[in-house]
Amino acid sequence: MADTLTIIDNRTGQKYEVPITDGAIRSTDLRQIKVGGDDAGLVTYDPAFMNTAACRSRITYIDGDKGILEYRGYPIEQLAENSTYLETAYLILFGELPTQAQLTEWTRQITFHTMLHENIKKLMEGFQYDAHPMGVFLSTVGAFSTFYPDAKKIFDEQSRQKQVLRLVAKVPSIAAYAYRHSIGRPYVYPDNDLSFTGNFLNMLFKMTELKYQPSPVLERALDILFILHADHEQNCSTSAMRGIGSSHVDPYSAMAGAAAALYGPLHGGANEAVLRMLTEIGSLQNVPAFIKRVKAGEGRLMGFGHRVYKSYDPRAKIIKKTADEVFEVTGKNPLLDIALELERIALQDDYFVTRKLYPNVDFYSGLIYQAMGFPVTMFPVLFAIPRTSGWIAQWEEMLLDPDQKIARPRQLYIGAAKRDYAPLEQRG
Ligand code: ACO
């Protein structure tokens, strides 16, 4: 029997056969069903895209109920254990793990693209001393489109590859400059002898020493965090990247929009919000009262819940282990005990259990970042750096997908019916 869905319109008795492909019907197939007269046909109403697939993708697979996350088919646990961020970025962008020769060349290319144009430095100096680094980051990424006008050639493969290298390589430099600017320290130029994350730590934290030596534990922990954040299929910022990119604007402008989406407290701003929440709770004895307030609807337990994961976020499990390793070097973050107590209570409380609310990736990442010496305002920036590879891979997939067009959702108009303009003196 053919894979179809039969729809009977009870108003007319008319029957429609709609094909099911890859577990989905095409919304446009519903347009043959008329709602009344000569209208454009039946549409689906899906605010926040709760049940709408907007693309076919080969990049990231998530099974939210089982807590599975895979990049190009590789389980996140195996990548976090064995891979590096740069290798994972290659996998996400090009579809396969690199050979040794490919990895060497990719690493060389990225290393040679980390410098920022001196005028970018000047641009960044124009921000207020206390400007939020994420505001600086997204503005600077947007400004890149004026420095690299060749990026407009989005259907030229070579040009696209150039922008991929620039973006992956330069985002840590932008992030580090934004941070140094916010604390009034001189910018530090990249060091080609160091790894991707080692160099990032160098650009952030180098003082007067001739050569910065990153702690191998912190360097690896940051690399793992970057692997975990590299992609997450059609989340809010990735949808923004695809949506803006669908107008065929250059990738820098599209990514400025994606970074803006990531800035929000319900998305990449969540780990900043977690830290603020833990600081506000202040001590273990205040935890039950806080949980009570959340259950009464007075605020959310930040770092808990996820649109897709309805079980423990697999990234949160890996992060918890990484946290222990980091705290051995940095000393324990005093807020950790409050986080553990919140988790303990929430995981056995009916309110959270019935709503399937579990810790997400952001519940512990902020504690690690803080222990490593990052201010909370840097947290969304630390998310944007690795997510850059996911955003560009998704953008490129969208561009080359013959099914895609400029993104343009429909609406259900519920406003006033047609009426005539009244002169000012006749109103009221
Ligand atoms: N604390 C308390 N209650 C919550 C929470 C939370 N963190 N999250 C959801 N709920 C409750 C809602 O109040 C709602 O309850 P109700 O059915 O009684 O009205 C129910 O659970 C379902 O919530 P929705 O908002 O419908 O869930 P949705 O899938 O839209 O939201 C989201 C997902 C935005 C992540 C939400 O869980 C949330 O706000 N979490 C806190 C912010 C956070 O940690 N965001 C990071 C996400 S991960 C990331 O972006 C990398």
Side-chain angles (χ1 to χ4, degrees):
M1 210 167 68
D3 239 356
T4 60
L5 174 74
T6 305
I7 300 173
I8 300 171
D9 187 339
N10 283 327
R11 299 164 310 166
T12 58
Q14 203 165 336
K15 221 164 137 183
Y16 301 88
E17 293 286 318
V18 178
I20 301 176
T21 312
D22 292 337
I25 59 163
R26 275 188 183 258
S27 296
T28 44
D29 283 345
L30 299 178
R31 289 174 80 162
Q32 55 184 313
I33 306 172
K34 297 294 169 198
V35 183
D38 57 355
D39 61 277
L42 192 68
V43 295
T44 57
Y45 176 55
D46 189 10
F49 308 115
M50 298 287 286
N51 195 36
T52 295
C55 63
R56 293 152 65 86
S57 182
R58 291 188 163 82
I59 301 171
T60 293
Y61 173 75
I62 299 177
D63 182 328
D65 290 327
K66 297 200 185 107
I68 294 173
L69 169 60
E70 294 165 2
Y71 298 154
R72 304 281 188 184
Y74 293 100
I76 193 67
E77 294 79 5
Q78 290 184 25
L79 292 169
E81 184 75 31
N82 305 304
S83 187
T84 61
Y85 167 67
L86 267 196
E87 184 185 64
T88 299
Y90 184 100
L91 170 71
I92 288 174
L93 283 156
F94 305 109
E96 296 296 335
L97 284 169
T99 61
Q100 182 59 61
Q102 287 167 331
L103 183 61
T104 306
E105 178 56 14
W106 170 242
T107 307
R108 192 184 72 83
Q109 291 277 11
I110 294 294
T111 309
F112 285 6
H113 281 87
T114 48
M115 297 277 284
L116 297 184
H117 193 292
E118 286 296 294
N119 283 349
I120 288 275
K121 261 173 60 181
K122 287 193 201 140
L123 178 99
M124 295 176 84
E125 273 157 15
F127 285 95
Q128 282 285 72
Y129 72 92
D130 59 351
H132 194 294
M134 192 60 173
V136 177
F137 179 86
L138 68 93
S139 315
T140 309
V141 170
F144 264 43
S145 71
T146 65
F147 285 82
Y148 305 113
D150 57 315
K152 285 188 172 39
K153 291 187 273 174
I154 54 170
F155 289 108
D156 174 335
E157 194 185 343
Q158 266 190 337
S159 165
R160 270 203 318 273
Q161 284 320 305
K162 187 94 192 176
Q163 317 320 323
V164 167
L165 288 174
R166 284 176 175 149
L167 272 167
V168 173
K170 291 185 201 300
V171 283
S173 312
I174 304 176
Y177 281 23
Y179 170 65
R180 302 281 292 201
H181 179 77
S182 71
I183 53 169
R185 287 199 187 139
Y187 302 143
V188 175
Y189 284 97
D191 180 342
N192 284 2
D193 293 342
L194 298 174
S195 71
F196 187 81
T197 41
N199 172 51
F200 180 47
L201 291 169
N202 159 65
M203 292 190 292
L204 289 161
F205 299 128
K206 184 170 186 285
M207 296 300 283
T208 51
E209 66 271 40
L210 281 180
K211 184 96 180 155
Y212 179 81
Q213 302 287 358
S215 145
V217 175
L218 301 189
E219 187 181 359
R220 178 64 191 149
L222 198 56
D223 216 40
I224 293 174
L225 285 160
F226 280 6
I227 292 171
L228 301 183
H229 285 90
D231 193 51
H232 212 232
E233 52 119 306
Q234 309 312 313
N235 54 82
C236 177
S237 56
T238 303
S239 307
M241 182 84 193
R242 280 180 173 259
I244 300 170
S246 76
S247 74
H248 291 176
V249 73
D250 67 89
Y252 301 106
S253 303
M255 206 178 105
L262 188 67
Y263 196 0
L266 296 189
H267 191 10
N271 52 8
E272 181 174 345
V274 170
L275 260 266
R276 291 195 198 288
M277 172 188 78
L278 295 175
T279 312
E280 193 190 305
I281 294 173
S283 74
L284 281 179
Q285 70 260 31
N286 295 336
V287 170
F290 180 79
I291 295 266
K292 210 169 150 192
R293 288 215 311 274
V294 169
K295 284 163 61 177
E298 299 164 29
R300 292 199 158 189
L301 178 48
M302 299 312 285
F304 259 66
H306 198 276
R307 172 60 58 77
V308 180
Y309 294 119
K310 298 304 169 195
S311 68
Y312 214 101
D313 182 337
R315 299 167 300 173
K317 273 192 204 142
I318 301 168
I319 282 191
K320 219 170 154 182
K321 189 167 151 255
T322 309
D324 293 336
E325 288 157 14
V326 168
F327 295 154
E328 274 194 18
V329 175
T330 62
K332 201 172 83 178
N333 188 322
L335 297 174
L336 177 68
D337 288 338
I338 300 176
L340 288 169
E341 181 63 1
L342 274 174
E343 181 182 337
R344 191 188 66 77
I345 296 183
L347 290 183
Q348 57 192 29
D349 189 301
D350 237 27
Y351 175 95
F352 297 93
V353 174
T354 53
R355 288 172 178 77
K356 298 188 174 169
L357 299 171
Y358 295 88
N360 61 46
V361 67
D362 285 325
F363 193 62
Y364 288 104
S365 63
L367 289 172
I368 303 182
Y369 288 144
Q370 195 179 51
M372 288 172 88
F374 291 106
V376 286
T377 50
M378 275 298 282
F379 293 178
V381 182
L382 292 166
F383 195 151
I385 293 171
R387 185 53 61 85
T388 297
S389 52
W391 283 332
I392 328 169
Q394 299 270 354
W395 165 75
E396 220 178 359
E397 189 178 63
M398 176 275 303
L399 278 184
L400 302 179
D401 179 350
D403 267 0
Q404 294 294 336
K405 288 172 180 291
I406 185 166
R408 184 17 174 128
R410 299 183 69 91
Q411 65 163 13
L412 306 179
Y413 179 69
I414 55 166
K418 183 184 172 229
R419 47 190 171 159
D420 289 325
Y421 178 85
L424 198 52
E425 60 279 9
Q426 288 174 21
R427 288 178 220 159

